[in-house]
Amino acid sequence: MGRRLSSVAVVVLLGLVLAGSAAGPAWAAGRCGDHPWCDTSLSADRRAALLVEALTPAERIGLLAGDVPAISGAAGTHTGTESGVPRLGVPPLYLTDGPIGVRQGQATAFPASIALAASFDRGLAAEHGRAIAEEARAKGNDVVYAPTVNILRTPLWGRAFESFGEDPYLTARTGVAWIRAAQRAGVMANVKHFAANNQEGEQGPGDELIGSRYTVDARVDERTLREIYLPHFEAAVKEGRVASVMCAYNKLNGPHACENRTLLTRILRQDWGFKGFVLADYGASKHVGTGLRAGLDFEPFPYVDFDGGENLRPEIVSAAIAAGRASQADVDRAVTHLLRELFAFGFFDRAAYPDDESQIDRPAHLRTAEEIAEAGTVLLRNRSRTLPLAAGRLRSLAVIGADADRNINGGGSSNINPYSFTSPRAAITTRAGSGVDVRFDDGTDLARAADAARGADAAVVVVADAATEGVDKPCLGLDCGAQRGVQRDRLIERVAAANRRTIVVLETAGPVLTPWRQRVGAILEAWYPGSAAGEAIARVLFGDVDPGGRLPATFPRRERDLPTAGDRRRYPGVNEVVRYSEGVLVGYRWFDERGIRPAYPFGHGLSYTRFALRNLGVRRARGGVGATVSVTVVNRGSRAGTAVPQVYVGLPGARGRVQPPRQLKGYQSLDLRRGQARRVTFRLDRRAFSYWDTRRHRWEVAPGCYRIQVGQSSRDIDARGALALRGASCG
Ligand code: GLC
């Protein structure tokens, strides 16, 4: 007989139960007060319903939109403000940009999103999200408009630096880690821009844009949408539990994203179970009733109008209701979505976040920024061990290029005013030490720059591109876009001709053309490294740390090799319609399927040591579709370094269903000492073997032989295996 509870214990237990129910509501320690909706023992749904009921119709309408018509990014201001309802103790809601740092006065400029993706490191993605959320919170914000997860469909995209690159899996893993960490830090994340916001538009002959993000209609077939442009949003919702989603400016298959019922209700809420709220990009709401009924819940900035849209300002909403174009029920549904998430996230049950940046541990955040910048730096080329530089053996070093003296970042809503910044020139000079003659030339005079390089033990040329939200690059060369004086390609050529040990440090938003790559000793891609740019670049150059990055996007040999090149219907679009007719063949999928050799492939990146991947093991999952892939990574070189083994799966194609040769389905970044070996295991779930079936409108696993490839890039495959599924054989 089990041990019986003593009669005393039963009385005590009963007393506890009764006491709990008799105490009435469980008031939170926060700012909610003693209203019925402040009872934390109630569900978020119930609390939202009680509050909506207590609000007047006009107050509910007022909660649909932000109400401060200014976004300057100045200290003490917020990108978005919703003033709440003081009568009922509904607190103000503060929102801020963005994916690379907090655009509010000064802040830590973290490495750009593409640099973070290049680290292939989920732990660092969490660090990036946590640190930015901490700064957003210390400046009084409840929501941060990040991460940007749009796929880099064309490297011409003006916001390439804000993306996590061309692969949905890498983007999803990076985004989920970022969101979870940011929300654990107490700030609601806002995954953006939902969906298929993959271009800003090409600068036309006048000041108009061709294929502008505000007006372009992205025509994406169902399978491509589900397999390429949605998985990272799906992961943000299902795994990241993201609190909010920002709907994009563009149209998707007809309707604008912010009034696209398929996107905002059928896919987001019905298919994925999203419980948070949908907010509009700035000025992206189009028609009050259509938008609210499609699933738009909130417009933080209803003060811009790019093409005759109806904002959600109270007077416009009231007029729409009076004219029968919207209803109070539409309003109440949207406000309920917003309030429910605010209750669920604890927004009502805590004190307001004071705007007090003394709470920010700036030195710690600067170290985090530096660590991520180093881990995201990609060593593209290293002929005859040009790198690392040995300060003790250097007598002279030339540092060339005005960009070596500048803080490089992209323009627009992700442009951060850094608390501090160390330039590559300053940090390289410091790291070289007093025994090395470091001579600098800004590269504006090619002959003079070549003279400065000639005779030095090595020459470091630092060059940046120019990218900004609002307009795409006109071409992929280093000097495309906002002209900034020197011709950087020619500068590199002249310096390389003068010094055989020329090292090019790229600080770019994404892939660029590298016509001089065979004529230089080494190439580092540092992207937009942020506040600690100098320290990170110097430490990698001198080998204090291994370049940990791998390419999150393909570097083409020629611009015409890009999947979107040569067909204006694909990019930038014709008559404001852009056709994603390349389908699932985005990025390396295109290069691999078409057999095009890139300059540097997706996943590529060298180390100062060398690795081997051995003993591939592929084990089918028991009871269902899946597999465990294991491989031993060995450091065969003479120093410690960072390895990034990558797992690719080649799904079987079928008539009418093209499949790229391989797709990234697993990766890990690991540091190994000289001679160290480590067994790494990757778990591939059912989704890793699935395609989107457009007849059944769901994920399916086709019968066939699945090729498992493990390598150090998408083109450098060390080991191959196969897995037969659904009764097929691998022959
Ligand atoms: C911009 C961007 C968006 C940003 C918002 C607020 O238009 O598209 O990413 O968060 O406005 O600055």
Side-chain angles (χ1 to χ4, degrees):
M1 171 76 80
R3 197 164 56 81
R4 290 169 60 81
L5 272 180
S6 70
S7 53
V8 170
V10 169
V11 168
V12 168
L13 203 58
L14 200 57
L16 285 173
V17 170
L18 290 174
S21 60
W27 303 129
R31 50 187 168 173
C32 190
D34 57 0
H35 303 287
W37 54 86
C38 299
D39 179 351
T40 57
S41 67
L42 299 176
S43 71
D45 289 292
R46 181 68 189 130
R47 296 177 72 179
L50 287 169
L51 177 49
V52 168
E53 199 178 319
L55 290 161
T56 66
E59 287 169 334
R60 297 171 212 162
I61 289 172
L63 284 173
L64 287 178
D67 39 36
V68 173
I71 44 170
S72 64
T77 70
H78 302 274
T79 314
T81 301
E82 176 14 83
S83 302
V85 182
R87 179 181 73 87
L88 294 177
V90 178
L93 181 72
Y94 297 108
L95 311 95
T96 189
D97 284 318
I100 297 174
V102 181
R103 191 166 65 94
Q104 183 178 330
Q106 288 183 299
T108 303
F110 289 89
S113 313
I114 197 159
L116 176 61
S119 73
F120 278 70
D121 189 320
R122 297 166 179 81
L124 289 180
E127 283 300 284
H128 198 276
R130 176 189 56 75
I132 289 177
E134 286 176 355
E135 295 202 8
R137 172 175 170 162
K139 291 167 177 277
N141 297 283
D142 307 292
V143 180
V144 61
Y145 294 141
T148 297
V149 297
N150 297 106
I151 290 296
L152 191 61
R153 175 176 178 251
T154 167
L156 295 174
W157 188 28
R159 301 178 79 168
F161 63 96
E162 268 190 67
S163 80
F164 291 138
E166 66 192 25
D167 182 80
Y169 180 82
L170 175 61
T171 296
R173 296 304 102 213
T174 308
V176 165
W178 200 101
I179 289 163
R180 281 175 171 165
Q183 297 196 151
R184 272 199 301 271
V187 176
M188 287 174 266
N190 174 245
V191 66
K192 67 186 186 180
H193 308 78
F194 193 52
N197 181 174
N198 305 106
Q199 65 189 58
E200 300 301 285
E202 178 190 77
Q203 185 62 60
D207 58 4
E208 81 285 1
L209 288 179
I210 300 164
S212 163
R213 62 173 172 168
Y214 299 125
T215 52
V216 77
D217 182 357
R219 296 291 173 86
V220 193
D221 68 87
E222 182 184 352
R223 180 184 168 218
T224 300
L225 189 62
R226 291 284 187 158
E227 290 190 21
I228 302 296
Y229 296 99
L230 291 186
H232 28 288
F233 286 102
E234 181 181 6
V237 169
K238 290 182 175 177
E239 299 172 60
R241 315 304 300 167
V242 72
S244 63
V245 173
M246 180 185 285
C247 50
Y249 287 118
N250 56 280
K251 297 173 181 174
L252 176 58
N253 296 328
H256 275 280
C258 290
E259 53 183 33
N260 192 312
R261 184 169 176 73
T262 299
L263 204 51
L264 302 184
T265 295
R266 192 164 65 71
I267 295 175
L268 185 61
R269 291 196 186 274
Q270 293 169 358
D271 285 2
W272 297 346
F274 178 62
K275 304 282 283 181
F277 60 98
V278 176
L279 60 83
D281 202 341
Y282 281 36
S285 74
K286 297 298 159 195
H287 305 92
V288 172
T290 317
L292 293 177
R293 284 192 294 275
L296 174 63
D297 300 316
F298 178 62
E299 182 173 27
F301 195 76
Y303 300 101
V304 288
D305 166 4
F306 294 105
D307 56 349
E310 264 188 328
N311 299 111
L312 295 186
R313 279 203 310 276
E315 66 274 18
I316 298 176
V317 174
S318 302
I321 291 173
R325 295 198 308 279
S327 70
Q328 188 65 40
D330 296 332
V331 172
D332 296 356
R333 183 188 326 103
V335 172
T336 301
H337 287 157
L338 172 65
L339 295 176
R340 188 220 154 274
E341 184 60 31
L342 296 184
F343 280 118
F345 205 81
F347 169 78
F348 282 87
D349 305 327
R350 61 164 169 79
Y353 293 151
D355 183 353
D356 169 14
E357 56 187 345
S358 68
Q359 306 169 74
I360 296 172
D361 186 343
R362 295 186 195 182
H365 285 187
L366 193 58
R367 286 193 299 275
T368 298
E370 181 181 326
E371 182 184 4
I372 294 168
E374 291 162 359
T377 299
V378 184
L379 180 57
L380 294 177
R381 173 184 171 85
N382 195 17
R383 179 185 65 200
S384 314
R385 297 183 53 72
T386 299
L387 287 178
L389 296 172
R393 291 204 296 272
L394 277 180
R395 291 185 312 280
S396 59
L397 181 64
V399 177
I400 310 281
D403 296 325
D405 250 348
R406 296 171 52 229
N407 173 24
I408 308 294
N409 192 14
S413 60
S414 282
N415 195 11
I416 303 304
N417 176 8
Y419 286 130
S420 64
F421 169 72
T422 309
S423 72
R425 174 188 180 186
I428 291 168
T429 301
T430 304
R431 180 61 187 78
S434 55
V436 179
D437 166 25
V438 178
R439 42 186 99 148
F440 173 72
D441 186 283
D442 68 4
T444 49
D445 178 312
L446 301 186
R448 191 188 65 222
D451 287 343
R454 190 170 293 110
D457 290 340
V460 178
V461 190
V462 181
V463 286
D465 67 349
T468 179
E469 174 181 345
V471 65
D472 293 334
K473 287 179 165 182
C475 54
L476 207 52
L478 264 178
D479 294 304
C480 295
Q483 289 306 326
R484 299 179 318 286
V486 296
Q487 297 293 306
R488 288 162 175 76
D489 286 331
R490 289 181 55 207
L491 173 63
I492 292 167
E493 298 277 8
R494 292 293 295 272
V495 170
N499 190 314
R500 180 165 167 68
R501 201 173 180 200
T502 291
I503 299 133
V504 176
V505 177
L506 294 170
E507 290 189 274
T508 61
V512 292
L513 297 181
T514 52
W516 27 261
R517 62 185 172 278
Q518 304 296 343
R519 291 187 285 285
V520 300
I523 307 169
L524 279 179
E525 173 60 77
W527 317 105
Y528 295 162
S531 291
E535 290 92 341
I537 288 169
R539 278 171 43 84
V540 171
L541 282 172
F542 284 91
D544 301 332
V545 65
D546 200 39
R550 303 296 184 267
L551 290 182
T554 304
F555 275 54
R557 282 185 300 128
R558 301 165 305 193
E559 189 167 331
R560 66 173 181 271
D561 291 342
L562 293 171
T564 52
D567 180 348
R568 291 186 66 79
R569 293 166 300 175
R570 281 191 184 169
Y571 176 82
V574 174
N575 298 328
E576 293 308 290
V577 171
V578 60
R579 298 188 185 283
Y580 287 41
S581 53
E582 75 280 4
V584 297
L585 300 179
V586 70
Y588 68 93
R589 290 166 164 81
W590 170 268
F591 283 82
D592 292 350
E593 203 272 345
R594 287 291 193 283
I596 301 169
R597 183 166 55 85
Y600 299 107
F602 177 88
H604 170 72
L606 303 174
S607 164
Y608 290 143
T609 182
R610 53 196 170 82
F611 300 101
L613 305 185
R614 294 179 179 146
N615 306 331
L616 172 64
V618 178
R619 194 154 48 83
R620 179 192 309 276
R622 280 192 293 277
V625 173
T628 299
V629 177
S630 303
V631 72
T632 299
V633 186
V634 185
N635 180 345
R636 301 184 56 203
S638 58
R639 55 164 285 159
T642 300
V644 182
Q646 301 152 39
V647 178
Y648 294 88
V649 177
L651 280 69
R655 194 160 35 82
R657 189 175 73 241
V658 69
Q659 281 293 9
R662 61 188 65 81
Q663 300 179 60
L664 182 73
K665 298 295 181 184
Y667 65 85
Q668 190 165 341
S669 172
L670 56 153
D671 296 335
L672 293 177
R673 296 184 309 281
R674 171 182 180 174
Q676 186 181 4
R678 191 185 305 167
R679 186 92 177 140
V680 182
T681 296
F682 305 87
R683 281 175 181 64
L684 274 53
D685 61 9
R686 176 191 176 87
R687 182 65 70 87
F689 300 95
S690 301
Y691 72 94
W692 182 265
D693 183 316
T694 53
R695 276 190 309 109
R696 298 185 180 88
H697 305 294
R698 65 183 190 207
W699 291 99
E700 286 291 344
V701 175
C705 183
Y706 291 73
R707 297 177 302 285
I708 311 291
Q709 301 174 359
V710 181
Q712 301 187 54
S713 85
S714 59
R715 289 295 178 97
D716 178 11
I717 303 299
D718 294 60
R720 299 169 189 273
L723 189 67
L725 293 178
R726 289 272 183 274
S729 73
C730 281

